[in-house]
């Protein structure tokens, strides 16, 4: 177990270093001159040169990266061009809202995906199965802004069950969480279905039936634990998928998280904010993967040996 | 609705299970196939019946049909009855079957490595049947499970109780399977090639264990195997299957002393001084025809040195050649199988072939070995 943990942790650390390098290179790919943005339109060449030295842009690339990485390691994400404030605290203030949204989305997708997949597997080949799988296909293939706007229109505008936008209560959370989680729910229902069907073919399921168990018990007690493993293993990975969805969903629902912050930063080409959010997002994706790896052995004791 | 069946005749021994004219088919993509055709046999309380035959002859399909474990569709009981303690399992509903499975009728399987749930402890898996059939709580089941583990020869039961299947060897897992099957004191244990996947010394231990448990509890065993040595060592009666049908059925001693079916005779002749354990049924030239390619007459005809012209035309009925004339020949077997289902409904109960093994030596052959 310790070795397993050590291997996973060192792999995660390597990935994070890779991410900082990529983010750093981003600076040069974005078609904007930070010096011009900070100095403003009416600046003289001397002023611009001074800012360039201030930012360290006159130094060689490797040196620039090292000082960037050192600042990152101290938790210093730099200063926003547009807001003239520290990026670190800015992200920190937005993060809880995004985490809450993602937690809501994970709950939503599990609540949708697992029962739907179980249902479809138990009705394999029947109408119920086909309906469930068609719906799951729709949720996976509908763009999130279409989904978000539709939910907003029906449940908030027409029916008035939920507020139109904002943050602060459970009813604010439900629509954005469902929007973010629905596609994942569709995925999960498919994974759950095929995983269940695979498990129900196993010899030990026959053993369970030979004990005189009802089909329902066989599914819930013997098959579910085994079938849910590949699904649970995905939850951590979802964090990565959510990170892109968060940008759309937070903007549709006016949710004050890092997705909204990212969108505003992209529009104003606020490179330190873009870099900061990207780095934080990468941190979460790596943490999510690590989490997925750590949960698996708890569910399937065989993995402990590896 | 379970169908209560009247006692057909006075038996010398009490019959626990009596299979009568059972035919089993599958719906496949190439159309329906008959896998098991008109088989009849019986198991008396406390005895061991061996069901032998080459791989693919329909042993597992038969065993799982007795437990009604095959999903239907595709599997279907096309004719016949499975009378177990007065109930026709072929007609029994799912709720009735659930009460019987794991309770009065239990089964162990060939693959001990995959037949246990990898995510549940040994103890929980053995105790489960007690929870289901006896309404015990997990705490109440525990001492019974520990006792059962000791009975099947598993040392340090407390430790094993909490272990997962992957922590156990194949032999231990098969012991766990046996413990699981016997925990509710069933009347009949169906063992489908319980030792085939194990190495020879472990095989012997498991067979010894089964014999010992039978001595103590008086449980009847339907032992499925393709190993004639195992049959000779374990069984009171033997049913030899070939390509979905019964070729020969007799008390074990009779069968080994004087095999009448050319197939059985060939098997025994192939190994000197009868068969020892490890002598498998693969020593006759040719192969078993798969379901659907069994021809119209005797399905052994292509491999048989004694074949007559008639053999390729008519299916030989299963009958006792020593008693022809004095006893009724096997009626169910002579009925055209297509009409069997209808006949089963129309014929009075007494028209069934009586499946009692008794001392009878039944052979399905037009020209049996003298
Ligand atoms: N689900 C199924 N669909 C079609 N054919 C089957 C199915 N299960 C078993 N069979 C056929 O039934 C025959 C008997 O199989 P089985 O009872 O497993 O043989 P064995 O005597 O080796 O246990 C085989 O020829 C197999 O192809
Ligand atoms: S019926 Fe004919 S072909 Fe079949 S086993 Fe007997 S002699 Fe051989
Ligand atoms: Mg088999």
């Amino acid at each position: 177990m310790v070795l397993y943990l050590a291997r996973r942790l060192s792999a995660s650390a390597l990935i994070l270093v890779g991410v900082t390098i990529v983010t750093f290179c981003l600076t040069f790919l974005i078609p904007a001159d930070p010096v011009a943005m900070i100095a403003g339109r009416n600046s003289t060449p001397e002023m611009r040169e001074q800012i360039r030295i201030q930012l360290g842009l006159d130094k060689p690339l490797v040196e620039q990266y090292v000082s960037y990485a050192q600042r990152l390691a101290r938790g210093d994400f730099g200063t926003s061009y547009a807001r003239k404030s520290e990026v670190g605290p800015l992200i920190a203030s937005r993060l809880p809202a995004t985490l809450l949204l993602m937690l809501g989305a994970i709950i939503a997708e599990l609540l949708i995906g697992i029962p739907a997949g179980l249902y479809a597997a138990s009705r394999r080949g029947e109408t119920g199965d086909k309906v469930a799988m068609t719906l799951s296909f729709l949720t996976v293939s509908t763009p999130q802004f279409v989904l978000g706007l539709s939910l907003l229109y029906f449940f908030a505008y027409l029916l008035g069950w939920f507020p139109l936008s904002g943050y602060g209560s459970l009813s604010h959370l439900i629509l954005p969480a469902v929007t973010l989680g629905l596609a994942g729910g569709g995925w999960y229902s498919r994974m759950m279905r095929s995983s269940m069907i695979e498990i129900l073919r196993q010899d030990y399921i026959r053993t369970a039936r030979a004990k005189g168990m009802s089909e329902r018990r066989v599914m819930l007690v013997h098959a579910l634990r085994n079938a849910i493993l590949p699904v649970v293993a995905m939850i951590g990975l979802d964090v990565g998928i959510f990170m892109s969805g968060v940008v759309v969903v937070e903007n549709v629902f006016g949710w004050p998280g890092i997705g909204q912050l990212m969108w505003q930063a992209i529009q104003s080409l606020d490179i330190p904010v873009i870099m900061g959010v990207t780095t934080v997002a990468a941190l979460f994706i790596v943490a999510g993967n690590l989490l997925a790896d750590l949960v698996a052995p708890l569910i399937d004791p065989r993995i402990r040996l590896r | 609705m379970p169908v209560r069946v009247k006692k057909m005749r006075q038996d010398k021994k009490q019959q626990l299970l009596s299979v009568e004219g059972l035919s089993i088919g599958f719906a496949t993509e190439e159309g329906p196939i008959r896998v098991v055709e008109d088989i009849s046999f019986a198991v008396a309380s406390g005895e061991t019946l061996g069901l032998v035959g080459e791989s693919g002859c329909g042993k597992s399909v038969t065993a799982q049909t007795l437990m009604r474990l095959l999903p239907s569709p595709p599997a279907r009981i096309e004719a016949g009855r499975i009378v177990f303690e007065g109930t026709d399992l072929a007609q029994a509903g799912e709720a009735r079957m659930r009460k019987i499975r794991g309770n009065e009728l239990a089964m162990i399987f060939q693959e001990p490595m995959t037949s246990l749930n990898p995510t549940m402890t040994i103890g929980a898996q053995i105790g489960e049947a007690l929870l289901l059939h006896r309404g015990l709580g997990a705490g109440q089941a525990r001492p019974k499970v520990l006792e059962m583990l000791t009975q099947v020869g598993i040392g340090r039961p407390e430790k094993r109780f909490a272990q997962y299947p992957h922590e156990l060897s194949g032999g231990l897992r098969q012991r766990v399977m046996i413990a699981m099957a016997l925990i509710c004191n069933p009347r009949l244990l169906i063992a489908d090639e319980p030792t085939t996947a194990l190495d020879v010394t472990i095989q012997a231990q498991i067979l010894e264990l089964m014999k010992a448990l039978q001595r103590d509890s008086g449980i009847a065993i339907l032992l499925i195997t393709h190993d004639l040595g195992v049959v000779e060592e374990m069984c009171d009666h033997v049913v030899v299957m070939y390509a979905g049908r019964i070729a020969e059925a007799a008390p074990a001693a009779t069968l080994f002393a004087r095999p009448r079916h050319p197939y059985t005779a060939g098997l025994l002749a192939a190994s000197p001084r009868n068969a020892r354990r490890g002598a498998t049924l693969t020593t006759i030239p040719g192969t078993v025809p798969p379901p659907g390619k069994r021809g119209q007459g005797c399905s052994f005809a292509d491999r048989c040195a004694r074949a007559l012209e008639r053999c390729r035309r008519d299916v030989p009925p299963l009958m006792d050649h020593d008693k022809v004339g004095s006893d009724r020949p096997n009626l169910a077997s002579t009925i055209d199988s297509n009409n069997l289902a209808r006949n089963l409904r129309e014929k009075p109960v007494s028209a069934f072939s009586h499946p009692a093994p008794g001392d009878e030596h039944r052979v399905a052959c037009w020209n049996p070995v003298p």
Side-chain angles (χ1 to χ4, degrees), chain A residues 71-88:
Chain A
R71 273 180 282 126
L72 260 189
R74 285 196 308 269
D76 177 3
F77 287 89
T79 308
S80 161
Y81 298 161
R83 293 166 197 254
K84 311 283 186 240
S85 60
E86 289 277 305
V87 174

Side-chain angles (χ1 to χ4, degrees), chain B residues 328-342:
Chain B
R328 181 194 287 278
N330 189 320
L331 270 181
S333 294
T334 55
I335 296 165
D336 180 317
S337 56
N338 292 332
N339 293 326
L340 194 57
R342 198 179 62 232

Side-chain angles (χ1 to χ4, degrees), chain A residues 210-254:
Chain A
K211 287 178 194 170
M213 286 193 157
S214 66
E215 201 52 31
R216 193 188 154 81
R217 245 188 104 120
V218 168
M219 286 191 98
L220 294 182
V221 177
H222 281 266
L224 185 59
R225 312 155 75 99
N226 292 285
I228 214 167
L229 174 69
V231 177
V232 170
M234 292 288 280
I235 290 180
L237 309 183
D238 275 344
V239 176
I241 297 165
F242 286 162
M243 277 296 172
S244 61
V246 149
V247 177
V248 175
V249 173
E250 287 188 353
N251 280 291
V252 170
F253 290 94

Side-chain angles (χ1 to χ4, degrees), chain A residues 105-181:
Chain A
I106 288 173
I107 292 171
E109 65 183 2
L110 291 179
L111 286 182
I112 295 164
I114 289 174
L118 272 177
Y119 173 81
S122 70
R123 295 285 147 84
R124 181 145 69 112
E126 295 169 22
T127 317
D129 179 19
K130 286 173 189 147
V131 170
M133 286 305 102
T134 309
L135 285 177
S136 97
F137 177 74
L138 284 179
T139 64
V140 172
S141 53
T142 310
Q144 266 169 342
F145 72 92
V146 175
L147 199 63
L149 289 175
S150 316
L151 291 180
L152 205 55
Y153 181 73
F154 282 110
F155 294 103
Y157 180 73
L158 283 186
L159 295 172
W161 292 356
F162 300 102
L164 278 169
S165 87
Y167 175 69
S169 75
L170 185 64
S171 65
H172 283 103
L173 175 62
I174 289 176
L175 285 186
V178 168
T179 307
L180 190 58

Side-chain angles (χ1 to χ4, degrees), chain B residues 26 28 33 35 54-62 74 192-193 291:
Chain B
F26 283 94
T28 67
I33 52 165
V35 167
E54 275 167 277
S55 173
C57 74
K59 304 181 298 292
S60 296
V61 166
T62 303
D192 188 355
E193 311 214 22

Side-chain angles (χ1 to χ4, degrees), chain B residues 72-307:
Chain B
S72 175
R76 202 169 86 85
I77 297 176
E78 295 180 344
R81 302 197 293 184
I82 303 165
V83 183
F84 178 70
E85 298 193 299
T87 303
D88 183 4
L89 303 186
Q91 304 282 329
E94 180 57 21
R96 178 93 187 90
M97 282 313 302
R98 281 210 299 272
K99 288 213 175 68
I100 294 174
R101 278 187 211 125
N103 192 8
E104 289 144 59
L105 181 58
M107 182 161 180
I108 57 176
F109 303 92
Q110 181 175 344
E111 308 83 6
M113 304 314 274
T114 53
S115 290
L116 291 163
N117 190 332
T119 59
M120 279 173 80
T121 62
I122 301 300
Q125 293 189 63
I126 298 175
E128 224 172 8
L130 287 172
L131 274 58
L132 276 172
H133 297 296
R134 301 285 179 268
L136 300 188
Q140 295 165 298
R142 189 183 156 90
K144 291 188 190 296
V145 172
L146 293 175
E147 189 188 331
M148 195 72 231
L149 281 169
T150 311
Q151 268 185 48
V152 297
I154 294 182
R156 287 173 298 165
E158 302 270 351
K159 177 184 168 207
R160 298 300 184 195
F161 188 97
Q163 282 185 317
Y164 287 91
H166 73 262
E167 298 172 77
L168 272 57
S169 67
L172 275 180
R173 288 195 216 183
Q174 198 59 295
R175 285 175 193 266
V176 168
M177 287 298 290
I178 293 172
M180 199 183 291
L182 299 187
I183 191 85
C184 287
N185 289 315
R187 308 276 326 267
L188 174 64
L189 173 69
I190 301 175
D192 188 355
E193 311 214 22
T195 59
T196 305
L198 305 173
D199 62 48
V200 181
T201 46
I202 310 292
Q203 276 189 24
Q205 291 170 11
I206 296 289
L207 293 175
E208 273 314 310
L209 171 68
M210 286 172 62
K211 269 202 231 173
L213 290 168
Q214 187 173 40
R215 268 197 305 275
D216 296 344
S217 67
I219 190 175
I221 300 177
L222 174 59
L223 179 62
I224 294 173
T225 176
H226 59 243
D227 188 331
L228 283 170
V230 170
V231 174
E232 195 182 25
E233 197 176 309
M234 300 283 296
C235 299
D236 303 304
H237 285 90
V238 191
V239 170
V240 180
M241 278 183 80
Y242 186 81
R245 289 175 185 275
I246 293 179
E248 185 164 12
T254 314
L255 187 102
F256 281 97
R258 189 182 168 220
R260 305 273 336 249
H261 196 284
Y263 176 59
T264 322
L267 296 173
L268 291 174
S271 49
R273 176 74 194 85
N274 286 347
R276 291 283 149 243
R277 191 162 48 232
T280 52
L281 307 184
T282 50
T283 36
I284 299 175
T287 51
V288 193
K293 296 209 168 62
R294 287 168 183 171
Q296 59 169 155
C298 171
S299 48
F300 188 58
D302 285 344
R303 297 169 79 185
C304 183
R306 299 179 60 84

Side-chain angles (χ1 to χ4, degrees), chain A residues 121 124 179 203 205 251 267 303:
Chain A
R124 181 145 69 112
T179 307
D203 288 339
I205 296 298
N251 280 291
Q267 283 177 323
I303 295 178

